[in-house]
């Protein structure tokens, strides 16, 4: 059976099961719907051709390991992904984010929380196993975690139970499609360092009318630290940040230009800051991002306070040859130099 015939014969079943998966909450920060989602995925794995599916308990949310073994001597391919999703801000959605809807936007697309990160992707691998069945030619492991959106704090416990060092190939099921008309196998992605910066200037907030000019303001102080991380061209000012970044080869640059031609990339909307041009920024260079800032009062009305605490979330996307340990040490040294 060819791919088109399989899709035509199984379209209704596939869409029904995918919609059920997308409708099931699995919000890792709050833990909402996690156990129900794990049970649903376990059943789907068995229904789509896996021989066995095991729920791996951790100190956090459980992992899922499904296996399809054709021949002990055959190569083994592992697909790695996650079933958890981020928290939802209802104001950012036109409807219920856990009620999948189909829209005509650059072709028909399903919109729901988790459709593009990461339920849609790993569900496609289930369909591939179901389609190929005994013609897979390889053994398959599907390993899913439930805390990717929290920084994968207990992934190591899942890997202790199901080590992947004996597999021949590991494919990350998490990621998007750069091209609408052509599936692409990505050979790597940037690494991630995520940290929180907290500034505390006192035990409690103070009244600005009584203490303005007399007390340090945590909001101002964290702003000064964050502003020091980049210059006005977008270049990261942490000493040694770009130290181990590989210079892109001509082949690298040619590949980036080709992707730019074939994707929805709009150079006019490209950030002109930082190193590299166009999509080079995404594929070939590290980036530093402030994901969020919290301090004092930010609601409607007015509160005349001097905040005593401020916190920021900082993420660094790293490229090959960079070390998260070294980047963290350099960032800490930079911050210490700013506040000293």
């Amino acid at each position: 059976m060819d791919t088109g015939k399989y899709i035509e014969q199984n379209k209704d079943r596939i869409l029904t099961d995918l919609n059920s998966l997308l409708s099931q909450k699995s919000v890792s920060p709050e833990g909402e719907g996690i156990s129900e989602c794990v049970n649903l995925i376990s059943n789907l794995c068995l229904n789509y051709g896996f021989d066995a599916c095991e729920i791996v308990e951790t100190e956090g949310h459980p992992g899922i390991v499904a296996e399809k073994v054709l021949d002990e001597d055959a190569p083994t391919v592992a697909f790695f992904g996650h079933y958890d999703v981020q928290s939802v801000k209802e104001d950012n959605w036109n409807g219920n984010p856990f009620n999948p809807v189909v829209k005509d936007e650059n072709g028909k697309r399903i919109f729901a929380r988790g459709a593009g990160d990461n339920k849609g992707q790993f569900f496609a691998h289930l369909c591939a196993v179901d389609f190929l069945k005994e013609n897979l030619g390889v053994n398959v492991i599907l390993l899913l975690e439930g805390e990717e959106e929290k920084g994968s704090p207990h992934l190591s416990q899942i890997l202790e139970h199901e080590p992947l060092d004996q597999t021949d190939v590991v494919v990350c099921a998490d990621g998007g499609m750069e091209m609408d008309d052509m599936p692409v196998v990505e050979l790597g992605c940037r690494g991630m360092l995520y940290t929180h910066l907290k500034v505390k200037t006192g035990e409690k907030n103070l009244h600005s009318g009584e203490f303005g000019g007399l007390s340090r303001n945590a909001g101002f102080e964290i702003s000064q630290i964050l502003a020091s991380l980049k210059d006005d061209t977008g270049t990261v000012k942490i000493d040694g940040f770009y130290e181990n970044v590989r210079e892109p080869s001509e082949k690298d640059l040619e590949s980036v230009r080709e992707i730019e031609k074939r994707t929805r990339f709009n150079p006019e909307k490209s950030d002109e800051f930082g190193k590299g041009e166009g999509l080079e920024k995404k594929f070939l260079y590290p980036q530093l991002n402030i994901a969020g800032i919290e301090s004092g009062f930010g609601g409607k009305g007015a509160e005349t306070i001097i905040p005593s605490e401020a916190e920021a979330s900082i993420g660094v996307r790293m490229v090959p040859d960079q070390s998260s340990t070294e980047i963290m040490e350099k960032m800490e040294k930079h911050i210490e130099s700013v506040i000293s």
Side-chain angles (χ1 to χ4, degrees), residues 34-53:
I34 292 295
S35 60
E36 293 86 350
C37 189
V38 167
N39 291 331
L40 173 61
I41 294 171
S42 180
N43 290 329
L44 286 173
C45 288
L46 297 177
N47 292 339
Y48 277 74
F50 284 88
D51 301 325
C53 185

Side-chain angles (χ1 to χ4, degrees), residues 181-300:
D181 60 342
M182 181 183 294
V184 174
V185 176
E186 296 183 351
L187 301 181
C189 59
R190 291 185 294 185
M192 181 68 172
L193 166 65
Y194 201 87
T195 188
H196 298 276
L197 172 66
K198 187 172 183 178
V199 172
K200 186 173 182 178
T201 56
E203 294 302 319
K204 62 180 180 179
N205 297 335
L206 299 175
H207 192 284
S208 63
E210 294 186 30
F211 296 95
L214 300 175
S215 175
R216 293 161 57 199
N217 184 308
F220 272 122
E221 298 205 4
I222 201 169
S223 297
Q224 291 168 349
I225 295 171
L226 296 176
S228 75
L229 296 176
K230 285 186 176 182
D231 64 18
D232 56 5
T233 70
T235 302
V236 178
K237 299 304 292 180
I238 297 172
D239 190 36
F241 182 81
Y242 299 102
E243 201 167 70
N244 296 317
V245 176
R246 294 181 192 174
E247 282 297 318
S249 66
E250 286 299 319
K251 187 174 182 180
D252 291 334
L253 297 176
E254 289 174 7
S255 297
V256 171
R257 299 287 90 82
E258 183 63 26
I259 293 172
E260 289 175 346
K261 293 176 185 177
R262 298 181 63 93
T263 64
R264 298 184 297 275
F265 172 71
N266 184 347
E268 294 181 359
K269 294 183 178 180
S270 174
D271 188 349
E272 296 180 358
F273 291 168
K275 289 186 175 291
E277 298 180 4
L279 289 182
E280 294 172 25
K281 302 173 190 292
K282 175 179 178 179
F283 295 119
L284 304 177
Y285 289 98
Q287 296 293 337
L288 183 146
N289 178 56
I290 299 171
I293 307 172
E294 290 186 9
S295 182
F297 175 73
K300 295 180 180 179

Side-chain angles (χ1 to χ4, degrees), residues 243-244 321-331:
E243 201 167 70
N244 296 317
D321 296 337
Q322 286 191 301
S323 160
S324 59
T325 302
E326 290 181 5
I327 293 295
M328 191 68 206
E329 290 174 351
K330 291 172 181 177
M331 189 186 306

Side-chain angles (χ1 to χ4, degrees), residues 11-26 33-44 47-48 83 85 96-102 110-115 119-120 122-123 126:
K11 182 178 179 180
D12 291 342
R13 174 176 69 106
I14 290 171
L15 288 176
T16 297
D17 289 339
L18 176 57
N19 284 334
S20 295
L21 179 59
L22 296 175
S23 298
Q24 175 56 58
K25 295 181 179 180
S26 52
I34 292 295
S35 60
E36 293 86 350
C37 189
V38 167
N39 291 331
L40 173 61
I41 294 171
S42 180
N43 290 329
L44 286 173
N47 292 339
Y48 277 74
Y83 63 84
V85 300
N96 182 353
F98 294 100
N99 182 22
V101 294
V102 177
I110 297 177
F111 286 77
R113 176 57 103 203
K119 292 178 178 178
F122 76 71
F123 184 77
L126 267 66

Side-chain angles (χ1 to χ4, degrees), residues 143-155:
L143 189 151
L144 303 174
E145 66 158 320
E147 296 179 299
E148 193 270 352
E149 301 293 2
K150 295 171 62 177
S152 305
H154 300 105
L155 175 59

